[in-house]
């Protein structure tokens, strides 16, 4: 049977995707709901707009940034730990500037975020709820920085924060995590290490949970508190491991409560079942909890190493 030339050509073309399809397949930012691909993260965010959607991000390092002003968006690495937002900054603030209804960030690495005012962050949260899972923040001025939203909640789970923070150039300090007057903060199963200034977690939220996490300051430099609750807070800090290193700007406590004023009640704050110690070779006397609130807290069943005293009222 003889097959005409035009049939052979048509069959060959049928096995090759169109240029548009190939371009879409190579585009690193894909809206999962419709498969539409984009070469810029900001274009994918704009395509979702006020709706709910997921942006699947292919493995690779990208200098992209985006501003979310509406909607409910999930930013998800196709392969967790192989998607890097590297150095991109929007609005002079962060790689992701979030002020929509809500956002979820899953499996993404944020690194090398720096800006002239010293507050360059992986994420700047200005409004709405935020959940962060399986993420890594490193080598930046801040990991997460927020504005105020008393109706919003923040959840951080199974994430790592390393080589973050700064207190230099005559500017206000930056921190690994700095939460403004948000409704609540929950940190679980996460790691903070190798801080380069400021506090590891500073939160003005009235309700806080920090559980089953580690704060390894052994290689920190010019760092301050492990957890700072400057306006006071209720909630629980439990099941964590704290190690204070040698190179501190302020080594006078591991956890500080209401050091900048008592805006929120700390009554019932439950600090229990933690382990706290000084790094090998560090010789000093310090306090596990320093309290300016005067509220009745529960501090119990914590394992404290040499040189640590349980509590001091200041």
């Amino acid at each position: 049977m003889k097959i005409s030339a035009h049939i052979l050509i048509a069959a060959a073309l049928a096995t090759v995707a169109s240029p548009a399809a190939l371009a879409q397949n190579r585009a690193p930012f894909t809206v999962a709901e419709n498969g539409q691909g984009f070469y810029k993260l900001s274009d994918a965010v704009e395509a979702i707009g006020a709706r709910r959607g997921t942006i699947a991000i292919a493995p690779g390092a990208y200098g992209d940034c985006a501003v979310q002003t509406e909607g409910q968006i999930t930013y998800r690495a196709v392969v967790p730990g192989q998607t890097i937002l590297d150095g991109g900054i929007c609005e002079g603030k962060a790689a992701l500037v979030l002020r929509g209804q809500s956002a979820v960030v899953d499996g993404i690495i944020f690194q090398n975020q720096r800006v002239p005012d010293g507050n360059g962050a992986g994420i700047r949260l200005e409004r709405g709820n935020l959940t962060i899972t399986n993420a890594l923040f490193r080598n930046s001025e801040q990991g997460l920085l927020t504005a105020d939203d008393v109706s919003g909640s923040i959840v951080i789970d199974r994430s790592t924060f390393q080589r973050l923070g700064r207190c230099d150039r005559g500017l206000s300090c930056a921190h690994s995590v700095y939460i403004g007057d948000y409704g609540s903060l929950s940190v679980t199963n996460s790691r903070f290490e190798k801080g380069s200034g400021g506090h590891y977690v500073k939160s003005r939220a009235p309700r806080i949970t920090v559980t089953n996490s580690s704060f390894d300051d052994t290689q920190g430099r010019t760092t301050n508190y492990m957890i700072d609750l400057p306006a006071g807070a209720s909630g629980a800090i439990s099941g964590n491991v704290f190690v204070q290193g040698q190179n501190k700007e302020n080594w006078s406590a591991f956890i500080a409560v209401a050091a900048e004023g008592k805006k929120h009640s700390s009554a019932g704050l439950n600090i229990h079942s933690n382990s706290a110690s000084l790094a090998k070779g560090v010789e000093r006397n310090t306090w596990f909890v320093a309290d300016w609130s005067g509220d009745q807290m529960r501090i119990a069943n914590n394992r404290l190493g040499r040189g640590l005293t349980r509590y001091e009222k200041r």
Side-chain angles (χ1 to χ4, degrees):
M1 177 179 173
K2 186 176 181 180
I3 302 175
S4 67
H6 75 274
I7 293 176
L8 288 172
I9 294 171
L13 290 174
T15 65
V16 179
S18 69
L22 287 173
Q24 180 165 305
N25 289 338
R26 288 196 301 266
F29 307 105
T30 301
V31 177
E33 286 72 20
N34 59 19
Q36 188 176 11
F38 297 90
Y39 285 96
K40 295 175 62 178
L41 178 58
S42 57
D43 289 343
V45 170
E46 184 177 353
I48 293 173
R51 303 188 307 278
R52 180 194 296 269
T54 295
I55 300 172
I57 308 177
Y62 309 99
D64 283 64
C65 65
V67 179
Q68 178 188 341
T69 61
E70 55 188 350
Q72 303 173 62
I73 300 180
T74 295
Y75 304 83
R76 177 167 292 141
V78 173
V79 181
Q82 294 188 24
T83 290
I84 304 173
L85 294 185
D86 187 1
I89 294 289
C90 280
E91 296 186 343
K93 298 174 181 176
L96 290 180
V97 181
L98 306 175
R99 48 178 179 266
Q101 185 176 348
S102 67
V104 174
V105 175
D106 183 20
I108 298 173
I109 296 173
F110 296 83
Q111 65 184 29
N112 301 325
Q113 280 83 29
R114 296 178 178 84
V115 298
D117 71 3
N119 286 316
I123 298 175
R124 175 79 72 96
L125 176 64
E126 298 183 346
R127 185 175 64 245
N129 300 327
L130 173 64
T131 298
I132 298 171
T133 58
N134 300 312
L136 169 60
F137 298 80
R138 65 188 180 193
N139 304 333
S140 299
E141 291 164 331
Q142 308 213 54
L144 168 64
L145 171 62
T146 87
D148 301 335
D149 183 355
V150 296
S151 65
S153 65
I154 300 166
V155 174
I156 300 171
D157 183 46
R158 292 167 290 153
S159 294
T160 298
F161 298 78
Q162 61 182 211
R163 293 189 291 273
L164 300 164
R166 42 142 297 279
C167 284
D168 60 4
R169 291 174 278 165
L171 302 170
S172 297
C173 290
H175 314 282
S176 296
V177 170
Y178 186 12
I179 307 301
D181 195 3
Y182 241 72
S184 64
L185 169 66
S186 172
V187 180
T188 55
N189 308 304
S190 293
R191 182 172 179 83
F192 299 82
E193 61 184 5
K194 304 175 183 177
S196 50
H199 309 299
Y200 284 95
V201 172
K202 180 169 184 172
S203 172
R204 297 182 181 276
R207 298 184 303 281
I208 186 167
T209 301
V210 182
T211 60
N212 301 321
S213 296
S214 65
F215 295 76
D216 183 359
D217 189 44
T218 303
Q219 298 182 54
R221 54 186 178 85
T222 64
T223 53
N224 286 280
Y225 304 130
M226 309 283 192
I227 298 176
D228 182 26
L229 309 176
S234 61
I237 299 173
S238 67
N240 305 291
V241 176
F242 301 91
V243 180
Q244 188 187 84
Q246 179 67 55
N247 191 344
K248 304 290 290 180
E249 182 178 81
N250 182 349
W251 49 262
S252 67
F254 283 50
I255 299 170
V257 181
E260 298 177 22
K262 185 181 170 182
K263 181 175 182 179
H264 307 302
S265 172
S266 299
L269 178 63
N270 193 356
I271 303 174
H272 71 93
S273 307
N274 301 284
S275 173
S277 63
L278 301 175
K280 184 178 180 180
V282 178
E283 299 291 338
R284 63 168 66 107
N285 294 315
T286 184
W287 288 265
F288 182 47
V289 179
D291 174 37
W292 286 258
S293 75
D295 291 330
Q296 187 65 45
M297 300 182 291
R298 178 177 183 263
I299 305 172
N301 302 321
N302 299 290
R303 298 180 300 279
L304 305 182
R306 58 180 172 76
L308 268 77
T309 300
R310 168 181 167 274
Y311 172 86
E312 183 179 57
K313 184 176 180 179
R314 297 185 180 176

